[in-house]
């Protein structure tokens, strides 16, 4: 199955790109709506090395927008997500950490990752992670503004710095406009697509 999986992808994006994707390690900071769906998209396009960090467990209220299933309620998200990603591609190598990302751990947790997808829940945590990782010259793809429904064309890719891309409408706060599956998935897919483009064109 695995050989056929990569053969099929090779026909779409080329052998050189597939070889690069299989070697690049991507960090996923947070395994909620953004992180779980971004990770699934990355595995589906050929990334084989992921590091996923989150401290939370799957709850029933997560199932409306996150890449989990009813029988996984109560599991740690990183363990459930690894289980689901291996069902897509059994060859994927997934390092997991059950812990909260804070200012004292952010840098060391992602030391071995060339690319990091920022998928945290609140503005303070997002800003902290970016501030810690930006000087390390890692390629960071963050998200700001995905709440509510409708007007999904407003979720755009915003280059901020050479190694920092922001995805979202930059204004819809999920505290005021709740996170729902369609816009969460659009933002997560754009994160994965931006990472794919960077890996294929810039590395």
């Amino acid at each position: 199955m695995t050989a056929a999986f990569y053969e099929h992808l090779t026909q779409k994006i080329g052998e050189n790109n597939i070889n690069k994707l299989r070697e690049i390690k991507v960090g996923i900071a947070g395994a909620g709506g953004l992180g779980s769906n971004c990770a699934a998209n990355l595995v589906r396009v050929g990334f084989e090395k992921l590091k996923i960090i989150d401290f939370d467990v799957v709850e029933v209220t997560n199932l409306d927008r996150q890449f989990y299933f009813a029988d996984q309620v109560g599991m740690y998200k990183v363990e459930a997500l690894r289980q689901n990603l291996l069902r897509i591609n059994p060859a994927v190598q997934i390092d997991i950490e059950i812990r909260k990302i804070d200012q004292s751990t952010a840098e060391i947790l992602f030391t071995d990752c060339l690319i990091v997808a920022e998928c945290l829940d609140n503005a303070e945590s997002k800003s902290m992670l970016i501030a810690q990782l930006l000087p390390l010259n890692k390629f960071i793809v963050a998200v700001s503004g995905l709440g509510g429904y409708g007007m999904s064309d407003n979720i755009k890719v915003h280059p901020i710095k050479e190694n920092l891309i922001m995805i979202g409408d930059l204004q819809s706060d999920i505290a005021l406009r709740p996170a729902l599956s369609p816009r969460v998935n659009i933002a997560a897919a754009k994160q994965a697509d931006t990472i794919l483009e960077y890996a294929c064109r810039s590395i």
Side-chain angles (χ1 to χ4, degrees):
M1 177 273 185
T2 301
F5 177 85
Y6 286 111
E7 182 180 351
H8 178 67
L9 282 172
T10 298
Q11 293 173 5
K12 294 183 175 183
I13 62 176
E15 184 175 0
N16 184 52
N17 284 329
I18 284 294
N19 290 338
K20 286 194 290 186
L21 300 187
R22 296 181 74 173
E23 291 302 317
I24 295 168
K25 190 167 190 176
V26 180
I28 309 287
L34 286 171
S36 63
N37 288 298
C38 179
N41 279 298
L42 291 174
V43 170
R44 291 186 193 280
V45 296
F47 284 92
E48 195 172 288
K49 297 179 180 179
L50 301 181
K51 185 171 191 177
I52 307 171
I53 302 171
D54 196 294
F55 67 95
D56 210 354
V57 298
V58 179
E59 299 180 7
V60 172
T61 52
N62 301 145
L63 301 181
D64 66 351
R65 66 196 182 282
Q66 301 182 19
F67 184 44
Y68 302 109
F69 301 93
D71 61 352
Q72 294 177 318
V73 169
M75 290 180 65
Y76 281 108
K77 287 183 178 180
V78 291
E79 293 178 344
L81 184 54
R82 178 167 61 182
Q83 186 180 86
N84 295 340
L85 298 175
L86 286 168
R87 294 186 67 185
I88 299 170
N89 180 7
V92 72
Q93 302 168 43
I94 305 169
D95 296 335
I96 60 172
E97 294 259 3
I98 302 171
R99 64 190 302 175
K100 189 168 186 175
I101 302 167
D102 58 32
Q103 191 167 352
S104 65
T105 61
E107 181 177 335
I108 193 167
L109 286 173
F110 295 104
T111 297
D112 56 345
C113 299
L114 182 66
I115 300 169
V116 177
E118 178 281 304
C119 304
L120 300 174
D121 289 335
N122 59 72
E124 294 78 12
S125 296
K126 290 172 178 288
S127 297
M128 175 277 299
L129 183 68
I130 293 170
Q132 293 297 309
L133 298 184
L134 205 56
L136 304 179
N137 214 32
K138 297 183 184 299
F139 185 71
I140 305 164
V141 185
V143 174
S144 177
L146 51 71
Y149 55 87
M151 298 183 292
S152 58
D153 286 345
N154 290 341
I155 299 175
K156 299 184 183 299
V157 178
H158 305 274
I160 307 299
K161 294 179 178 290
E162 187 176 351
N163 64 323
L164 174 62
I165 305 296
M166 193 71 70
I167 308 289
D169 64 21
L170 306 184
Q171 55 185 328
S172 57
D173 189 335
I174 60 172
L176 303 175
R177 300 182 65 198
L180 296 169
S181 185
R183 282 172 61 100
V184 169
N185 273 277
I186 289 167
K190 283 180 175 284
Q191 272 189 299
D193 188 56
T194 299
I195 291 169
L196 174 62
E197 181 183 31
Y198 174 77
C200 290
R201 293 189 179 180
S202 304
I203 297 172

